[in-house]
Amino acid sequence: MTALTGTVQLVRLILRRDRIVLPLWILFLAVIPIVYVSSFNGLFPTAAERQEYAQISMHNAGFVALYGPLFGSSLGQLVAWRAGFIPVVIGLISILTVIRHTRVEEETGRRELLGSTVVGRHAGLAAALLVACGANLVLGVLMALGLIAEGLPLAGSSAFGLEMAASGWAFAGVAAVAAQLTSGAGSARALAIVTLGAAYVLRLAGDVSGIHGGGLAWLSWLSPIGWVHRLRPFAGEQWWPALLALGFTAALSLAAGFLEARRDIGAGLLPPRLGPAQASPGLRSPLALAWRLHRGLLAGWVAGFAVLGVVFGAVAKDVGSLMAENTSLQDVLARLGGSSGIIDGYLASTMSILGLIAAGYAIQAALRLRGEETSGRVEPLLSTAASRLGWAGSHLAFALLGPAAALAAAGLATGVVYGLDAGDVAGQVPRVLAGALVQLPAVWVLAGVAVVLFGLLPRFTAVSWAVLAGCLFLLLVGAAVQLDKRIMDLSPFTHIPHLPGGALSATPLVLLTLLAALLTLAGLAGLRRRDIPAA
């Protein structure tokens, strides 16, 4: 039996398990560039308008920080630039996919069970990488075909698709190595996501330095995200940076296989930190244990939201000057959020996006319940005086209050930075902070969906991510393609008042909060009546 025996069968198993989530995120991301083409055609129909927009954007540090360098003013160049953050999203999805089918399988004991059959030692790792890289290839092809169908050049469209696929391949390799180093799925995710964040920061620092002729432009070449941006779709394509990403992926994949052969199943190469023999007085309740488990994740999300707030606040004033002469774009921003000015509309729309990102954190924190259950750690805990509801409630506290802390950090950072730029910190901070915190009822609804699935249909908890993807699709694409209002209303974020700039209405906030409460209570009621663990 070779080390890769059974790889094909495991690929089929992964595809069956991910038959809903995998096509969903591929199709969702594949549509976004097509929407960008339609948006730029509508907002800047002439070459002169696109040139004016590009001249301002390519020298704006905030825009370059978000999307990367802009190499020209053609329609294809603007679309490729506007999609500059998508490689980060693809990298994150690739990380979660690979770790779900490697380290999580070991943590739950399924890998050891499969290993007792005719399955080679490296088959699981190879299958996870093949599925992740194959999914990214399909995504890249669909993106390229979509842009070609919109009339954009073949070479540029192909380079764009390769850019997106290569970013996913690189971070699939990062996840494969992270899964060998740690003994827990949470630690592996944290290590891989920190690497993704570091790559984004290196790309950001290098590109921002580059537009001002600084000496740190070389930092972009230390980042896989910086490599794929240098493919330069529609701007005199450079194909050789793709070789860097391919070599990086191959090297990490081989390294992961090498490391896997030198550790025991279920163990990691980095030794786990041993705790004290006796728990401290502050670790003798379910809430204290939940704090220990969630504190690192909470700190990371709050810090990340604060950084996003600084970037969004720095861009706000420039958005106002950029859009002052374009009535079409003013109308779009007004529809997305706010009615009392271009900048208010921009701030309201960014707060909506932050609300959706915070919903991802809420779902992740809520589904920690399922992770604890499938790993076998809940049964010993519940054999003590801890109750099911007490245990579940301790984790749900972070699913409900953690997003509030993250959104508050983003709102404060955005308000302070924009307030300093506008010379009105005292006036802007409360307005922007309100725009961030008003997203919470919608965030809680999506957390409630995760809880009700955990309590009643634990095998289908991954559907909660599909619900989030649907809401994100409606926010980013629904307004651009003018979907029917009844469809748009399916997202709880559609009902959130657009602040700052719009009118505050308490009714939708109360109704959404009640809906979130009902979903959460239904999930907890189901948890009380079902077996633990649930298959």
Side-chain angles (χ1 to χ4, degrees):
M1 182 178 69
T2 67
L4 296 177
T5 299
T7 300
V8 174
Q9 288 76 10
L10 289 180
V11 167
R12 293 173 59 190
L13 176 61
I14 293 172
L15 292 176
R16 177 174 176 79
R17 292 180 61 194
D18 287 357
R19 62 188 181 275
I20 296 176
V21 175
L22 199 62
L24 195 66
W25 74 258
I26 290 175
L27 293 175
F28 167 70
L29 291 175
V31 169
I32 293 178
I34 300 174
V35 175
Y36 288 159
V37 173
S38 176
S39 297
F40 277 115
N41 271 329
L43 298 173
F44 306 104
T46 68
E49 289 178 321
R50 289 194 290 269
Q51 177 66 32
E52 181 182 359
Y53 177 80
Q55 284 296 324
I56 296 175
S57 299
M58 68 176 55
H59 297 104
N60 183 283
F63 287 155
V64 172
L66 278 174
Y67 307 125
L70 175 58
F71 300 110
S73 61
S74 71
L75 178 60
Q77 290 164 346
L78 289 173
V79 169
W81 169 72
R82 183 62 180 80
F85 192 77
I86 294 180
V88 179
V89 177
I90 296 173
L92 177 60
I93 295 173
S94 298
I95 287 171
L96 297 177
T97 300
V98 171
I99 291 178
R100 164 176 159 80
H101 295 293
T102 52
R103 176 51 65 182
V104 171
E105 293 296 286
E106 294 188 39
E107 195 172 41
T108 57
R110 289 191 291 265
R111 174 68 181 86
E112 189 172 9
L113 182 62
L114 287 172
S116 65
T117 65
V118 186
V119 174
R121 180 173 182 85
H122 300 313
L125 174 62
L129 285 171
L130 284 173
V131 170
C133 292
N136 283 299
L137 178 60
V138 171
L139 173 62
V141 170
L142 290 177
M143 285 183 164
L145 291 176
L147 294 182
I148 292 170
E150 291 292 322
L152 295 180
L154 173 62
S157 300
S158 300
F160 180 83
L162 181 58
E163 173 186 343
M164 299 302 158
S167 63
W169 297 338
F171 289 101
V174 169
V177 172
Q180 314 312 314
L181 297 178
T182 64
S183 58
S187 299
R189 290 190 197 98
L191 181 60
I193 291 173
V194 166
T195 304
L196 173 63
Y200 178 72
V201 170
L202 287 171
R203 196 282 304 161
L204 182 155
D207 290 344
V208 171
S209 176
I211 64 175
H212 298 298
L216 298 178
W218 56 271
L219 289 175
S220 296
W221 291 100
L222 301 180
S223 167
I225 301 173
W227 302 341
V228 298
H229 281 336
R230 265 56 186 187
L231 283 166
R232 297 173 63 102
F234 309 103
E237 292 78 18
Q238 298 181 153
W239 301 98
W240 65 267
L243 297 177
L244 293 176
L246 288 171
F248 183 75
T249 305
L252 289 182
S253 299
L254 292 173
F258 177 83
L259 296 174
E260 186 179 43
R262 283 155 179 77
R263 66 175 180 85
D264 294 330
I265 292 178
L269 290 174
L270 298 178
R273 186 177 61 181
L274 297 178
Q278 299 292 327
S280 65
L283 197 60
R284 293 179 179 174
S285 70
L287 182 60
L289 177 60
W291 164 251
R292 178 67 63 88
L293 296 174
H294 285 270
R295 63 184 182 183
L297 184 67
L298 176 61
W301 277 90
V302 170
F305 267 60
V307 172
L308 286 176
V310 170
V311 173
F312 288 146
V315 171
K317 190 173 182 180
D318 293 319
V319 167
S321 60
L322 179 65
M323 308 310 170
E325 302 300 326
N326 193 309
T327 56
S328 298
L329 193 52
Q330 292 178 31
D331 293 339
V332 171
L333 287 172
R335 286 199 302 270
L336 285 175
S339 58
S340 64
I342 300 170
I343 296 179
D344 280 351
Y346 161 78
L347 291 172
S349 64
T350 56
M351 292 304 111
S352 296
I353 294 173
L354 288 173
L356 272 165
I357 299 174
Y361 169 39
I363 292 172
Q364 183 182 12
L367 293 187
R368 183 64 185 258
L369 292 165
R370 181 62 175 165
E372 293 293 296
E373 180 182 15
T374 56
S375 63
R377 292 191 289 265
V378 174
E379 288 181 281
L381 178 64
L382 296 183
S383 66
T384 67
S387 66
R388 290 192 183 196
L389 293 184
W391 164 71
S394 64
H395 287 276
L396 292 182
F398 292 90
L400 300 177
L401 300 180
L407 285 170
L412 284 172
T414 304
V416 168
V417 173
Y418 171 58
L420 288 172
D421 204 11
D424 184 24
V425 174
Q428 295 302 327
V429 167
R431 300 173 69 247
V432 180
L433 181 60
L437 295 180
V438 80
Q439 309 297 322
L440 280 174
V443 172
W444 291 338
V445 168
L446 267 64
V449 170
V451 176
V452 77
L453 288 171
F454 168 70
L456 300 177
L457 300 168
R459 292 181 58 192
F460 298 95
T461 51
V463 174
S464 55
W465 293 109
V467 175
L468 174 62
C471 293
L472 184 61
F473 177 84
L474 292 176
L475 176 69
L476 297 180
V477 178
V481 300
Q482 298 182 347
L483 287 177
D484 186 87
K485 185 178 182 300
R486 289 172 295 182
I487 298 177
M488 296 292 294
D489 286 344
L490 293 175
S491 170
F493 291 91
T494 304
H495 306 280
I496 294 296
H498 298 295
L499 299 177
L504 176 62
S505 174
T507 301
L509 301 180
V510 172
L511 293 177
L512 289 174
T513 303
L514 289 175
L515 176 59
L518 289 174
L519 290 171
T520 303
L521 291 174
L524 293 176
L527 176 64
R528 291 187 62 187
R529 289 168 172 78
R530 69 170 176 83
D531 293 335
I532 291 182

